[in-house]
Amino acid sequence: MKLLKPLVATVLLALPFVTLAELTERQAKLLAHNCVQCHARAATGAPGMGHAENWKTRDSTGEDKLLRSVIEGLGGMPPLGYCAACTEADLRAMIRTVAGLEGAQ
Ligand code: HEC
């Protein structure tokens, strides 16, 4: 288990555009174990983390709409983005991280 924290941090820090400041350690793990599987792989069809051009039109629909998409699932994304352990607050923080939304609370 000692290895897990550095590993998660390494995975996420390997994505230089990702700001982890807003996430708790638990949320960072949930993100790494769920969302990143798809959102760091273009082949899955998921809008890439840190790829602002992938998010331009999605961002404009607002955080509540993005949250609904994640909760209900959308296209190739399963309901809750596979994260059964995520609360709404977790998902909101993770959505802001994945989509690169700034300053939203
Ligand atoms: C199995 C792959 C997969 C996983 C796991 C996954 N996503 Fe997605 N996600 C996608 C795909 C594919 C899309 C694009 C869906 C579309 O537009 O058809 C997407 C779209 C989104 C969107 C944009 C929704 C919109 O309304 O445009 C958000 C936000 C998002 N994902 C966040 C997350 C978060 C947060 C997690 C983790 C809790 C997560 N995703 C986990 C594949 C995934």
Side-chain angles (χ1 to χ4, degrees), residues 4-100:
L4 190 58
K5 190 176 168 189
L7 185 64
V8 169
T10 307
V11 167
L12 292 173
L13 292 176
L15 308 168
F17 37 79
V18 174
T19 314
L20 289 178
E22 199 196 344
L23 297 180
T24 64
E25 188 183 328
R26 179 177 152 277
Q27 289 170 341
K29 279 183 195 164
L30 291 171
L31 180 82
H33 294 161
N34 296 281
C35 326
V36 170
Q37 313 285 334
C38 293
H39 285 274
R41 288 193 195 144
T44 64
M49 287 175 75
H51 295 269
E53 71 281 4
N54 291 177
W55 289 98
K56 269 185 203 143
T57 53
R58 297 178 191 268
D59 282 354
S60 64
T61 61
E63 188 183 309
D64 287 343
K65 164 67 177 61
L66 297 180
L67 177 67
R68 195 172 335 127
S69 299
V70 177
I71 290 175
E72 293 174 359
L74 180 73
M77 177 162 59
L80 296 173
Y82 270 154
C83 186
C86 286
T87 64
E88 180 181 324
D90 292 337
L91 289 175
R92 283 185 182 275
M94 291 151 81
I95 286 168
R96 289 194 290 267
T97 302
V98 170

